């Protein structure tokens, strides 16, 4: 089992962990701050350091069960099983993804009533696809995004019983990705205050702590991807 420390504290840039296994398929640690690719968000990159060496982490993915695989170059020297390593993420890349992922939730909040059919988080460009025949004008979406960003709203993670999906199925906006079930707990991302809620959705990704941290956002374009499918692409402003 790999403890997912990033789920509760996405601001950690490094931590000490123990190597559970190391091979061509990747390195498994007992705990990690490296986000494993999923839900449209790329996996983290960075480095693992130990007493006698270090290795670059080129990607992070989910392994069998609850394991997380830290992928390394094919010719890399691997740390021994049982070794203590310092796991260090590429913070600039992670923080860019955090800002953009949170901005995508703001975008989702502006397109009310439309299901999300797909999405991809990127440091330089991100997109959300909506089941939406007539999207608002690009300028209106961009203005709405930046108003929410400038409001510097709180962003927080909370854990609830997964049975909330049965009592409130409207929490899930995505048609392409459904929250995992079976663990008993559900991770929700909330933007706004209790009396002024902007967004509340299941999400396993990493996010900033306040919307003001995102910085200006531009809507680059809106693409027609089908009879009712519209792709909205955002970039840092």
């Amino acid at each position: 089992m790999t403890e997912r420390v990033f789920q509760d504290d996405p601001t950690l840039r490094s931590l000490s962990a123990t190597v559970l296994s190391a091979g061509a398929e990747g390195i498994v640690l007992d705990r990690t701050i490296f986000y494993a690719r999923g839900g449209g968000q790329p996996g983290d990159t960075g480095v693992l350091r130990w007493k006698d060496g270090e290795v670059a982490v080129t990607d992070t993915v989910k392994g069998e069960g609850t394991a997380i695989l830290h992928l390394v170059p094919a010719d890399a020297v691997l740390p021994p099983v049982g070794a203590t390593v310092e796991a260090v993420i590429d913070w600039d890349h992670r923080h860019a993804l955090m800002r953009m992922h949170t901005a995508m939730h703001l975008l989702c909040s502006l397109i009310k009533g439309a299901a999300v059919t797909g999405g991809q988080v990127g440091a330089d460009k991100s997109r959300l696809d909506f089941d939406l025949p007539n999207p608002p004008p690009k300028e209106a979406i961009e203005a709405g995004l930046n108003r929410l960003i400038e409001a510097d709203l709180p962003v927080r993670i909370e854990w609830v019983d997964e049975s909330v999906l049965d009592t409130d199925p409207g929490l899930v906006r995505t048609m392409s990705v459904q929250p995992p079930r079976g663990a008993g707990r559900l991770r929700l991302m909330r933007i706004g205050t209790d009396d002024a809620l902007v967004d509340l959705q299941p999400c396993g990704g990493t996010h900033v702590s306040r919307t003001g941290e995102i910085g200006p956002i531009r809507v680059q374009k809106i693409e027609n991807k089908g009879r009712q499918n519209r792709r909205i692409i955002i970039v840092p402003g």
Side-chain angles (χ1 to χ4, degrees):
M1 175 180 178
T2 304
E3 180 188 353
R4 289 155 164 75
V5 178
F6 59 81
Q7 288 191 326
D8 293 309
D9 189 354
T11 65
L12 282 178
R13 305 186 187 196
S14 67
L15 76 105
S16 177
T18 301
V19 178
L20 298 181
S21 67
E25 72 284 356
I27 298 170
V28 178
L29 306 177
D30 66 334
R31 58 203 297 259
T32 190
I33 54 172
F34 282 70
Y35 177 82
R37 187 196 321 155
Q41 180 173 328
D44 278 324
T45 59
V47 65
L48 302 180
R49 298 189 179 102
W50 62 98
K51 181 180 178 181
D52 298 314
E54 68 175 52
V55 64
V57 176
T58 58
D59 199 358
T60 310
V61 300
K62 296 172 183 175
E64 291 187 11
T66 60
I68 287 180
L69 291 171
H70 303 77
L71 305 187
V72 299
D75 59 349
V77 176
L78 302 175
V81 172
T84 297
V85 298
E86 180 189 21
V88 184
I89 59 171
D90 179 341
W91 174 252
D92 289 342
H93 185 247
R94 155 70 83 77
H95 194 228
L97 292 172
M98 288 166 61
R99 297 197 307 268
M100 291 295 279
H101 198 163
T102 308
M104 290 170 67
H105 278 261
L106 294 180
L107 172 60
C108 192
S109 75
L110 294 172
I111 311 298
K112 301 186 184 302
V116 176
T117 58
Q120 183 65 47
V121 186
D124 301 317
K125 179 170 67 175
S126 299
R127 66 169 174 85
L128 276 179
D129 299 345
F130 294 92
D131 182 20
L132 182 69
N134 300 302
K138 182 176 76 170
E139 296 76 14
I141 297 173
E142 184 174 299
L145 278 172
N146 285 295
R147 277 196 300 270
L148 292 171
I149 291 167
E150 291 166 6
D152 197 28
L153 302 167
V155 180
R156 68 177 187 265
I157 296 299
E158 56 190 58
W159 293 90
V160 298
D161 192 283
E162 67 180 27
S163 62
V164 71
L165 292 175
D166 300 320
T167 57
D168 189 3
L171 281 173
V172 181
R173 291 281 303 274
T174 56
M175 296 172 64
S176 57
V177 180
Q178 292 295 311
R181 303 192 68 160
R185 297 196 309 162
L186 180 68
R187 187 176 186 263
L188 297 179
M189 199 275 272
R190 177 187 296 268
I191 302 178
T193 60
D194 292 337
D195 57 349
L197 182 64
V198 171
D199 189 54
L200 179 64
Q201 289 189 55
C203 185
T206 58
H207 297 278
V208 296
S209 60
R210 301 192 70 87
T211 60
E213 196 176 335
I214 297 170
I217 290 290
R218 290 190 300 110
V219 176
Q220 187 180 66
K221 58 182 172 179
I222 300 176
E223 295 180 340
N224 186 340
K225 291 295 180 179
R227 186 169 62 88
Q228 288 197 192
N229 200 41
R230 300 296 179 266
R231 175 169 295 174
I232 302 176
I233 300 172
I234 61 173
V235 297

